[in-house]
Amino acid sequence: MIYRKVKTNLSRTLSSIEQDKATSDDYVKCILADPQIAAYIVQALVPEFKEMEAEKIIPCIGEPTVMLRFPERLGVKIQNVNNESVDEDDGKIIYDIKFPLYYNGKRREFIINIEAQKSSKKSKLGYQLENRIAYYMGRMISEQKETEFVNSNYDDLKSVYTIWICMDTKKSEDSIIEFGMKSSLIYGKIKKIPQIDKLNGALINVRTRATKNKKQSKNKLIGMLEELFSKSEFIEKKKILEEDYGLKMSMELEGRMSEMCNVSDYWEEVATEEGKEIGERQKIISQVVKKLQKDKSVAEIADDLEEKEEVIAPIYEAALSMKPDYDVEKIYELLEKNKKLA
């Protein structure tokens, strides 16, 4: 594995706590770049490899380059290999993990990028993550000019995959979303519509495993990732990963996992945020219930709470359906269920 240090002036000014969190992020990247974990991800998302066993995919994975904030804390040797995409007009982006993937005896090559993302919420990021994924897809294609192909040799263009693993998903929303370019015929007749398989993106929504006894995801890749970064005791985690997912604990992988005890901060942060959101929502429900019991209308409640009527109305209707108990938690669950059905 090739490690490079992320060049930033912020590294020198970060507090000790922030450096600990950045180091936790570094551990996550190193574990995701492990050939066994990378093979699981490739198996789930690259069609050519879906029927292959993970252990047979490992030899197809080229050496990954991993960008770290504090490599000195992980005790790894830095090598001068570029994992940045620099464009005079579009600026610079830094890939967390990047590696070549070979198929059919190296006769076909893919370029794979894996990104560890704490959140996919626009409220935290300030933008739609899907748009950033699209941008990375485009950059991974355009930067092949004069590196993977020259002049007009476009048939040498390699397929790219940018895969984002998001770590703040709610308990019922574990999912994998694929992005790409699809061809469709809008006029005329043709025997075969040409398909473009060069641009590929994916968003893997992994649930927070901050609580014990949470059911495993029905998706094997998500289940493995959730267990990998869960707050379980290391011995228990190792047993589950070996028995349920067939991982073989190499000295390097086991060492990284053992050292990654501080990565629980990764989960505690998102669990706290999720708890705050639920608490705030339930507080509003409780306020609506109290005013509903005083026979106040939706308009009156909205005015009292300084909220829009369209915010209060669904809470009001859900609360009415729970009459006379008005159980706040059940009302909250009903609202969440209705939101998914909408």
Side-chain angles (χ1 to χ4, degrees):
M1 204 173 295
I2 298 171
Y3 301 102
R4 287 197 71 229
K5 184 178 177 67
V6 177
K7 295 178 181 178
T8 171
N9 294 328
L10 290 174
S11 297
R12 284 175 287 183
T13 60
L14 289 175
S15 69
S16 177
I17 294 175
E18 288 169 327
Q19 287 186 24
D20 287 343
K21 289 185 177 180
T23 302
S24 293
D25 294 350
D26 285 349
Y27 278 125
V28 170
K29 294 175 192 177
C30 289
I31 290 173
L32 290 174
D34 182 88
Q36 288 188 86
I37 310 303
Y40 255 97
I41 295 170
V42 166
Q43 183 188 53
L45 294 169
V46 184
E48 287 82 353
F49 294 86
K50 285 192 175 181
E51 301 303 319
M52 290 179 65
E53 296 177 3
E55 61 182 24
K56 292 184 179 180
I57 297 174
I58 293 175
C60 304
I61 296 174
E63 190 165 32
T65 302
V66 186
M67 298 298 285
L68 305 175
R69 297 288 297 279
F70 293 98
E72 60 276 8
R73 289 190 167 199
L74 276 64
V76 299
K77 183 180 178 181
I78 301 301
Q79 297 185 42
N80 190 25
V81 177
N82 200 348
N83 208 31
E84 300 175 353
S85 173
V86 182
D87 185 278
E88 290 182 2
D89 297 321
D90 297 329
K92 178 175 73 173
I93 59 174
I94 300 172
Y95 300 109
D96 282 356
I97 304 162
K98 195 176 182 184
F99 58 85
L101 175 68
Y102 303 100
Y103 179 70
N104 195 16
K106 294 193 175 183
R107 282 188 282 274
R108 186 178 178 192
E109 183 179 344
F110 303 82
I111 301 172
I112 310 295
N113 160 234
I114 299 174
E115 299 287 324
Q117 184 76 17
K118 281 188 178 181
S119 177
S120 62
K121 296 177 182 177
K122 184 177 180 180
S123 59
K124 292 183 179 180
L125 298 173
Y127 57 83
Q128 292 286 358
L129 182 58
E130 294 81 3
N131 292 332
R132 187 177 176 187
I133 292 172
Y135 180 68
Y136 271 53
M137 290 162 62
R139 283 290 289 269
M140 290 177 70
I141 287 290
S142 65
E143 68 193 19
Q144 292 184 51
K145 180 74 171 175
E146 307 302 335
T147 56
E148 303 297 341
F149 74 95
V150 296
N151 300 324
S152 298
N153 298 321
Y154 293 105
D155 286 345
D156 293 335
L157 193 66
K158 294 176 174 56
S159 295
V160 302
Y161 282 80
T162 180
I163 301 163
W164 295 67
I165 300 173
C166 227
M167 302 186 178
D168 67 342
T169 304
K170 294 181 180 179
K171 63 180 181 180
S172 60
E173 296 181 0
D174 51 319
S175 56
I176 299 177
I177 305 168
E178 290 185 321
F179 305 97
M181 183 180 289
K182 303 296 182 184
S183 304
S184 61
L185 184 66
I186 61 173
Y187 172 75
K189 295 181 179 179
I190 189 170
K191 289 183 178 179
K192 185 178 180 181
I193 301 174
Q195 296 295 325
I196 300 175
D197 63 354
K198 300 300 181 186
L199 289 93
N200 303 279
L203 177 58
I204 304 174
N205 290 305
V206 177
R207 300 171 301 173
T208 304
R209 291 294 297 273
T211 57
K212 292 183 178 180
N213 302 321
K214 181 174 283 186
K215 291 182 180 179
Q216 288 183 333
S217 173
K218 293 181 181 179
N219 180 270
K220 189 175 181 181
L221 171 61
I222 294 176
M224 185 269 291
L225 291 172
E226 288 179 349
E227 189 58 51
L228 196 62
F229 298 113
S230 72
K231 292 181 65 179
S232 305
E233 292 293 330
F234 175 69
I235 299 300
E236 178 189 352
K237 181 188 299 190
K238 177 183 173 183
K239 181 180 178 182
I240 293 173
L241 289 170
E242 288 178 332
E243 294 180 359
D244 293 0
Y245 299 100
L247 291 186
K248 296 177 182 178
M249 289 296 160
S250 64
M251 288 183 64
E252 184 174 4
L253 179 58
E254 186 169 337
R256 292 291 178 228
M257 286 177 56
S258 179
E259 294 165 356
M260 198 184 61
C261 57
N262 288 333
V263 84
S264 58
D265 292 342
Y266 217 90
W267 299 108
E268 287 171 3
E269 180 182 333
V270 296
T272 300
E273 288 299 318
E274 186 176 343
K276 284 181 181 178
E277 289 179 13
I278 294 173
E280 289 172 2
R281 183 75 167 153
Q282 290 185 347
K283 181 181 177 181
I284 294 176
I285 293 171
S286 179
Q287 291 172 330
V288 170
V289 166
K290 288 178 182 178
K291 294 183 180 297
L292 172 60
Q293 290 173 319
K294 294 179 181 179
D295 295 325
K296 289 200 172 187
S297 67
V298 171
E300 289 172 324
I301 296 173
D303 186 57
D304 287 349
L305 299 180
E306 297 182 345
E307 288 280 1
K308 294 180 180 179
E309 288 189 29
E310 53 262 37
V311 173
I312 299 301
I315 301 174
Y316 184 93
E317 295 298 327
L320 269 181
S321 71
M322 297 289 177
K323 187 178 179 180
D325 295 330
Y326 297 116
D327 188 303
V328 171
E329 288 190 7
K330 288 182 179 179
I331 295 169
Y332 172 80
E333 290 174 2
L334 177 60
L335 288 166
E336 288 297 300
K337 182 179 178 181
N338 292 341
K339 190 191 298 183
K340 289 172 189 173
L341 295 174

